Amino acid sequence: LSWAGSEGFIVVLGVCTLATWVMVCVAWIVPKRLIKKDAILLYFINTIFVVTTFAILTLNLKFFTIAHSAEIQIGILMCHNVLMPLSLVVFENISLNQSRRIRALGTVVILVSLTLFHKLLELLGAIDYVNWSMFHALLLTAALLIFSRLVTYVLMTFSKDALET
Amino acid sequence: MNIYGSHFNANEYLVLLGLLVGLLFVVFLPKRFSSKDVVIYFMTGVFSGFFFDHMLSIQPIKFYDVNDTSMFQLMDFVTYWIYGPFSYIYFYVLDYLHVKKSFIPSYILACSLIAVLFEGIGVHEGVYHYTHGYKIYYSFGIYLLVLSAWTWLFYQVQSTSANSD
C-alpha cells in the first residue's frame, strides 16, 4: 500500500495536517489539570526530546528513513514539533485526572493512536522502516510517555516547593 | 553526508565559551523573575533553537548544517542550548527597561540585528555551514518573527504571573 509520486506526498501532508489539527482541538477541549506555565514548559521540553530522539533515530542510527520530499518533510515536521509534544501535554492533563479509569483509558488511547499513526506514515510511504517495526514504535511511544510523566513530576514538585518557600 | 571538520577546534570552543558566558549572565544577573519564569524564559530560547533548526533543515533542501558534520552530534545538541541565555537576557532587558509597547518593534529590530551578528560570528568560526544558497540576511527575517513570538509569550507569562499573585 505504499503511495508513490507527488500525489501520495500531498496525501501524507494532508494526513499530518489533519492529525495535528485534531490534536490542537483535543488540547483545547481537554480539561486543564496543568497550570499554564507548567504546560508551556512541558511542551518545550517534550518538543526538544522528541526532535532530538527522532534526529538520532533517523540521521545517526538510520532505524527508519524519511522520504526526500518537501511535502512529507513538512508533514513530519508538524508531527515532531506540534502533534507529538502536544499529545504528551494532553496525556499529562489526562494523567492528572482523579479517576483511575480515565487515566488508564487515556494512556491506552494515546499510546495506541501514536503507534498506529507511525505505522500509517509507513504505509503511506512517508517513512521507511529499515531496522524498525511497529513494536519498536510502541516502545518509543511508551518511552515518550514515561519521559513526559517524569518531567511533569519534576515540574509539579518544583511548583510545590516554590509555594512552600 | 557533509563533513566540515573532525577535530575539537574553533567552533566547539566558541559554542562552549558562548554557553559558559551566557550561563554566567543567567546566574549572576540580579533576580527579576520567579524561578519558574526563569526556566520558561531560558527554555524558550532552547526550544526555538531546536524548532527552527529542524524547520530549516527540511530535506531535500537543507539550508544549513551545524558544526562538523550534517549528522546530529552531541555538540549540535549543546549548540542549541546557547539560545537559552540569549532568550533569557532578551526577556530580562525587556522587563528591566519597561519597554513601552510603541518601542517594542524597535527593541525586536535591535535584538534581531544583534542575533544576526552572533550568527555571523558562528558562521565565521564554523558553527553554521550554509547550503543551497542560504544567506545570513534570510535569518534576519526569521529572528524578527521569533522575537515577536517571544515578546507575545513574555506578556502571556507575565499576565499569568500577575493573575496568580
Side-chain angles (χ1 to χ4, degrees):
Chain A
L1 192 65
S2 184
W3 290 65
S6 59
E7 281 181 25
F9 296 159
I10 292 167
V11 169
V12 173
L13 181 60
V15 167
C16 291
T17 309
L18 182 68
T20 307
W21 178 77
V22 168
M23 190 46 71
V24 170
C25 293
V26 171
W28 189 273
I29 293 164
V30 80
K32 312 287 183 295
R33 305 279 170 177
L34 285 167
I35 60 167
K36 201 173 182 179
K37 286 181 186 178
D38 284 347
I40 291 170
L41 255 179
L42 186 66
Y43 173 71
F44 285 173
I45 294 168
N46 281 337
T47 306
I48 292 166
F49 187 71
V50 168
V51 164
T52 307
T53 306
F54 277 90
I56 292 168
L57 289 174
T58 53
L59 293 174
N60 295 37
L61 300 173
K62 299 193 190 306
F63 281 167
F64 52 88
T65 55
I66 299 168
H68 279 219
S69 141
E71 292 93 340
I72 287 178
Q73 293 284 339
I74 293 166
I76 296 288
L77 189 80
M78 266 194 282
C79 295
H80 290 173
N81 286 350
V82 183
L83 172 68
M84 298 187 83
L86 207 56
S87 61
L88 295 174
V89 175
V90 169
F91 164 71
E92 289 310 325
N93 276 316
I94 295 168
S95 296
L96 294 169
N97 198 293
Q98 298 292 323
S99 163
R100 183 177 282 186
R101 192 177 290 175
I102 291 174
R103 288 203 304 257
L105 187 71
T107 307
V108 170
V109 167
I110 289 177
L111 189 65
V112 172
S113 55
L114 284 181
T115 308
L116 288 178
F117 186 73
H118 204 263
K119 183 66 186 170
L120 177 68
L121 291 178
E122 197 248 341
L123 289 172
L124 292 172
I127 53 177
D128 183 27
Y129 286 180
V130 182
N131 293 311
W132 197 255
S133 67
M134 206 168 153
F135 177 67
H136 289 107
L138 182 74
L139 285 182
L140 176 65
T141 311
L144 294 176
L145 295 182
I146 292 167
F147 175 80
S148 182
R149 200 81 274 275
L150 286 172
V151 173
T152 308
Y153 176 76
V154 172
L155 287 176
M156 296 196 78
T157 311
F158 190 60
S159 299
K160 213 178 281 176
D161 289 348
L163 278 175
E164 282 168 7
T165 53
Chain B
M1 183 180 73
N2 299 324
I3 298 172
Y4 305 98
S6 56
H7 297 290
F8 198 92
N9 47 22
N11 59 318
E12 283 87 0
Y13 285 122
L14 182 72
V15 167
L16 293 177
L17 185 73
L19 188 61
L20 182 72
V21 172
L23 287 175
L24 287 174
F25 269 105
V26 174
V27 172
F28 290 109
L29 276 173
K31 195 180 172 194
R32 288 193 73 81
F33 309 115
S34 71
S35 306
K36 187 163 276 181
D37 288 2
V38 171
V39 179
I40 289 177
Y41 295 147
F42 186 90
M43 290 307 291
T44 301
V46 182
F47 164 80
S48 304
F50 276 91
F51 190 95
F52 283 94
D53 179 72
H54 286 79
M55 193 172 268
L56 294 170
S57 302
I58 299 173
Q59 295 284 2
I61 306 164
K62 191 173 183 176
F63 287 117
Y64 62 85
D65 288 323
V66 180
N67 291 314
D68 289 346
T69 72
S70 49
M71 284 176 68
F72 189 77
Q73 296 179 301
L74 178 65
M75 199 44 79
D76 297 358
F77 185 81
V78 177
T79 303
Y80 301 127
W81 287 80
I82 292 183
Y83 294 98
F86 183 82
S87 65
Y88 177 75
I89 293 165
Y90 175 84
F91 291 123
Y92 190 95
V93 176
L94 184 66
D95 188 61
Y96 180 80
L97 296 176
H98 298 291
V99 180
K100 285 181 185 171
K101 288 203 171 168
S102 53
F103 285 107
I104 283 174
S106 312
Y107 181 68
I108 291 171
L109 197 67
C111 289
S112 299
L113 287 169
I114 294 168
V116 169
L117 182 74
F118 279 121
E119 188 175 316
I121 296 168
V123 172
H124 186 261
E125 296 302 323
V127 177
Y128 306 105
H129 305 273
Y130 295 150
T131 56
H132 292 98
Y134 190 83
K135 301 275 184 253
I136 195 166
Y137 48 81
Y138 298 165
S139 295
F140 179 68
I142 295 167
Y143 285 125
L144 284 178
L145 289 174
V146 173
L147 297 189
S148 303
W150 284 6
T151 309
W152 176 81
L153 179 80
F154 174 75
Y155 287 108
Q156 288 293 311
V157 173
Q158 290 295 96
S159 68
T160 310
S161 300
N163 290 339
S164 61
D165 289 343

